[in-house]
Amino acid sequence: MSELNLREAAAVALTLLDLTNLRDDCTEADVVALAKRAHTPFGDVAAICIWPRFVAAARRELGADSPIRIATVVNFPSGDEPVADVVAETRRAIADGADEIDLVLPYRALMAGDAAAGEVMVKAVREACPAPVKLKVIIESGELKEKALIRQACDIAIAGGADFVKTSTGKVAVNATLEAADTMLLAIRDSGRNVGFKAAGGIATVNDAVFYLDLADTIRGPDWAIPSTFRFGASGLLDNVLAVLAGSHQPAARGY
């Protein structure tokens, strides 16, 4: 990829980024700093993704009318919490100002043959997310591993009303992969529904992001990857994006 095209990809990636801090030691001060970083000299990221307990602080920092969305996580990261607790946490987060809910599918139950657990969870949380709140369902593809299970998880999420299917929590050994993304994008295409895709975990450079953007172009068509249909969930990607846009990035020796 030429440096010019790399800069173009960086500009696109910036608009698709869910700037994330889901570290266990995250503080309110960290979230305020994250919200400030979401505004860059080259434009804003799509969203910040944070723990539910910090949503109110993020809303105060960003303001009521900010174009930057606030995403938060529920049933996270285990995927094993009771439905009633997850619904209650979802409603609290929305009341505090969350625009998007990233829900972990009960993937361990699915691996054990219990698809109904996922169906019940997604539908219940969907009902707790009034428009225009978006629901992203994390399938934890690196733990599901098998293509058939990844596809089944996506089908459950889409049937239950997900606005996005998301690869990973970022808390397991294997997070986003192109193989999983391929299966997930095909599930979206085959559903016939306007569902988005979010790649999360392990995407640290614009070079990494380009692979996913190219895959989306191939399966869903050119220019499909816009903030309403495509996101990158990452903590470190912004630094590389800004370096590329500022012209201080040294091109990687990876055939681009």
Side-chain angles (χ1 to χ4, degrees):
M1 172 175 288
S2 71
E3 191 67 8
L4 175 62
N5 286 339
L6 192 66
R7 288 184 183 181
E8 291 172 347
V12 171
L14 177 64
T15 69
L16 305 177
L17 180 58
D18 285 5
L19 184 61
T20 301
N21 187 336
L22 293 170
R23 296 194 306 267
D24 292 338
D25 61 353
C26 183
T27 67
E28 184 172 318
D30 292 331
V31 168
V32 170
L34 191 78
K36 293 181 185 299
R37 288 190 68 220
H39 298 286
T40 85
F42 302 99
D44 295 341
V45 304
I48 60 171
C49 187
I50 56 176
W51 292 106
R53 61 185 179 273
F54 298 125
V55 168
R59 178 53 66 202
R60 288 192 297 272
E61 177 63 30
L62 289 172
D65 299 322
S66 174
I68 298 169
R69 306 291 85 188
I70 297 174
T72 194
V73 291
V74 298
N75 203 25
F76 186 96
S78 71
D80 295 333
E81 297 176 21
V83 172
D85 292 353
V86 178
V87 167
E89 186 170 44
T90 298
R91 289 178 172 152
R92 284 195 300 270
I94 293 169
D96 284 344
D99 302 296
E100 301 176 355
I101 300 296
D102 288 26
L103 163 72
V104 181
L105 186 84
Y107 63 91
R108 291 189 183 92
L110 179 62
M111 292 166 68
D114 182 7
E119 294 167 358
V120 170
M121 179 69 77
V122 174
K123 289 177 182 177
V125 176
R126 172 76 274 173
E127 290 175 1
C129 294
V133 176
K134 299 298 184 184
L135 174 62
K136 307 193 200 87
V137 176
I138 305 167
I139 66 165
E140 203 68 288
S141 57
E143 293 293 285
L144 294 178
K145 296 183 176 67
E146 298 174 12
K147 182 181 292 188
L149 278 176
I150 292 170
R151 177 61 185 252
Q152 186 180 11
C154 288
D155 290 344
I156 289 169
I158 293 169
D163 296 298
F164 281 75
V165 287
K166 174 179 172 182
T167 59
S168 322
T169 61
K171 299 288 190 180
V172 295
V174 177
N175 292 290
T177 67
L178 287 166
E179 292 78 11
D182 182 80
T183 300
M184 295 170 73
L185 286 162
L186 288 171
I188 291 169
R189 184 197 67 185
D190 294 347
S191 75
R193 291 191 51 213
N194 187 30
V195 175
F197 168 76
K198 180 174 174 179
I203 301 163
T205 69
V206 178
N207 288 333
D208 295 335
V210 165
F211 286 119
Y212 290 90
L213 293 172
D214 284 349
L215 184 63
D217 282 352
T218 299
I219 295 175
R220 301 296 290 130
D223 302 321
W224 179 78
I226 59 176
S228 61
T229 55
F230 193 106
R231 299 285 181 85
F232 291 112
S235 56
L237 179 59
L238 181 61
D239 290 337
N240 188 251
V241 164
L242 295 179
V244 170
L245 292 173
S248 59
H249 166 75
Q250 296 299 316
R254 290 176 53 181
Y256 294 101

